[in-house]
Structures are given as C-alpha cells and as structure tokens.
C-alpha cells in the first residue's frame, strides 16, 4: 500500500473514532438520572491521567526513528479507548450537578478531546515527511498534558463552581469601581487656561478631549454610584460566605431544589454585575439618566430576590442582611442624586456637541 494511501486509511480511522467520540458526547446533552450512582471526580481525573499517558506514548514514537504506520494505528486505538472511558466517567461525575458545575466539567473535557484529536492527526500527517516536520508533536503532547492537569483545578461541588463564577463577577465589579474612581470633575476656574494649555502634548492632544470631566452635578452622581458599587462588592462577598456555609446541604441525597436556588442566586449576582457595567458606562458625560435609573431599579429588585432565595435556604446571616440594606440605601441615595441632577446639564452638553 502506498504511503499516501496508508495515511488516508489512518485518517479515515481517526475520523471514525472522532465520530464515536461525538456520539458519546451527546450524553452530556442530558443530565444523568439522579438515581445513578455519582462518579467521584477524583476517579474521572485519574482517568484523565491515563489520557495524558497515552499522549506521552504517542510522543515517544517520535523519539527515535520515524514510527511505522501500524505503530501509530495501535497507539491511536489505545488512545481513543481510554478517551471514551474518560468521557463516560466524566459524565457520571455530573450526577447532581447544576448547569454551572456541568459547564466547568464539559469545557475541560472538550479541551482534552480537542487537543487529543490535533495530536493524533498531526502524528498521522507527519508520517513520511521527515524529522523537520515533527517539531509540532512535542508541543501537542504538552497541550494534552496541560489540559489533563487542569482537571485537578475543576471545582468538584456546585457550591464551589458557583462561588468561582461569583468571584469572577466580583473581579469585574472591581474593574468598574476602579474606572469610576478615575472620573474627575471639570475645572470651574476660568483662569486655568494656561494649565490646560500645558496639559496638551506635542500633537496638540488634550486629555480633556476625551470628555471625561464631569460637572458638579454629574460628579455627585458619580460619587453616589461609586458607593453603590462598593456596597455591591460587599454583598457579593457576603453572598459567597453564605452559600459556602451551606456546603453541608449539598451532601444530601435530594439536592435538586438546593442546586436550583444556588443557580438562581448566581443568576441574580451576574445580573447585578451586568447592571453595574451599564451604570459605569453611563457615568461618562453626557450622563445617561434613563440607563442609570433602570440599573438602580433592576439592582434593587435583584437584591430583593436574593434575600428571598437565601431565606428559603435558611442561609440568612446578619452580615448578609446588613449588606443588602447597605446596597439598597446606596441605591436610594443614587436615585436621589440622579433626580436632583436634572436634564438641563445634559441638554447643554448635547448642544455643545452640535
């Protein structure tokens, strides 16, 4: 059989294995029955180690003389047998997992499958091309190692998975808060023309041309918004502390309602994060009053929903109640500042832009 024909045959076998993998992947489209015995994530991760070893074997084929097509085929067969076993164990570990935890697992599994496919395909394509075309194989083996190693960093409980995403929301909020604090009031002193001239660079660019200077009324709104974001961060911290205290509830046999409540809390947390983003963007002049008012109303509503959900889980703490009250109070203050700022300054600025 000719060299190209042998490659085509191996590539055909690879695609057959890939089709089998895709069919196996379809089991992830449906959550496993709650009556099934949950597979420990440690067991799935250990099978991931076996996938890593298979990648090492493929890489070792290229450490000496170029391997024969039969050797590549045998390693491919073994590789995909282990990979299918890994997929099945990974799916078994999603018993009782909510959408967030399942998403972490699925993303990790997909990464390993993708890296594995690229490695095997490159090993086949490299046959007969000489040593100069083998340089990608060690890197692809390393990519599989890295993807398999990442399995050990996957959250293993719904609480941990949801807490990790809430942490990401908090990080985003901190970025918005930092940007808000960089807003500055416009100069009200007409004698500062020389200082403004000195602020220009050699190209005649003035940082004030960015339109980030706020009027006194707008600055009051911005300061109130800064307090809102600070209080929102406190609330997220207390929310994470509250759900962490509920971890023992996840070990029960009937966790469906519990997981649903956690997912709802995460959705509200993400919703608040989205509105914080909108609020931050609307502070730049001319300030967008309608968007700010909408954000205030939506955040306040989501805080109420959070309180009810935490109460249903019996996870309410004094610190959480206080955090909710602090955010609501800051929202009321912001709404008051927005109402007092009035539309006149906005109209003036729009006119100046025409």
């Amino acid at each position: 059989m000719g060299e190209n024909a042998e490659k085509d045959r191996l590539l055909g076998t690879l695609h057959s294995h890939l089709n089998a993998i895709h069919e196996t992947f379809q089991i992830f489209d449906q959550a496993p029955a709650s009556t099934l015995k949950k597979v420990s994530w440690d067991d799935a991760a250990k099978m991931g180690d076996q996938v890593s070893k298979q990648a090492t074997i493929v890489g070792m084929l290229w450490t000496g003389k170029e391997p024969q097509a039969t050797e590549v085929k045998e390693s491919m067969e073994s590789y995909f047998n282990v990979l299918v076993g890994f997929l099945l164990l990974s799916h078994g570990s999603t018993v009782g997992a909510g959408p967030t935890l399942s998403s972490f697992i699925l993303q990790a599994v997909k990464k390993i499958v993708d890296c594995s496919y690229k490695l095997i395909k490159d090993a086949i394509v490299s046959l007969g091309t000489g040593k100069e075309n083998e340089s990608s194989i060690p890197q692809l083996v390393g990519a599989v190692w890295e993807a398999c190693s990442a399995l050990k960093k996957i959250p293993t409980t719904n609480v941990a998975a949801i807490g990790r995403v809430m942490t990401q929301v908090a990080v985003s909020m901190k970025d918005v808060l930092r940007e808000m604090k960089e807003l500055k009031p416009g100069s009200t002193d007409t004698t500062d023309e020389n200082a403004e001239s000195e602020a220009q660079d050699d190209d005649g660019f003035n940082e004030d041309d960015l339109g980030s200077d706020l009027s006194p009324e707008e600055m009051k709104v911005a300061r109130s918004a800064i307090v809102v974001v600070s209080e929102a961060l406190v609330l997220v911290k207390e929310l994470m502390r509250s759900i962490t205290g509920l971890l023992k509830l996840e070990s029960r046999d009937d966790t469906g309602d519990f997981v649903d409540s956690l997912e709802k809390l995460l959705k509200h947390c993400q919703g608040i994060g989205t509105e914080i983003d909108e609020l931050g963007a609307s502070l730049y002049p001319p300030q967008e009053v309608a968007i700010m008012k909408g954000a205030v109303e939506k955040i306040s509503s989501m805080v109420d929903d959070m309180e009810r959900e935490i109460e249903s889980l019996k996870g309410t703490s004094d610190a959480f109640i206080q955090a909710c009250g602090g955010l609501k109070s800051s929202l009321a203050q912001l709404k008051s500042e927005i109402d007092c700022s009035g539309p006149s300054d906005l109209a003036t600025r729009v006119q100046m832009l025409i």
Side-chain angles (χ1 to χ4, degrees), residues 283-294:
L283 289 176
Y284 291 91
Q287 291 182 341
E288 299 175 90
V289 174
I291 292 178
M292 288 190 283
K293 285 186 175 181

Side-chain angles (χ1 to χ4, degrees), residues 85 87 91 98 122 132 143 175 188 239-240 252 259 271 321 343 353:
L87 291 181
H91 182 253
D122 200 76
E132 67 274 8
D175 289 339
T188 57
L239 176 61
M240 292 171 63
R252 301 178 307 177
V259 175
I321 293 174
L353 294 174

Side-chain angles (χ1 to χ4, degrees), residues 28 38 41 86 90-91 93-95 97 100-111 151 154-156:
F28 282 92
K38 180 180 175 65
W41 179 247
F86 167 67
S90 296
H91 182 253
S93 73
T94 63
V95 173
T100 302
L101 177 56
S102 296
S103 177
F104 274 107
I105 294 173
L106 184 57
Q107 288 176 18
V109 171
K110 283 183 175 179
K111 180 68 174 177
L151 295 175
I154 297 291
T156 58

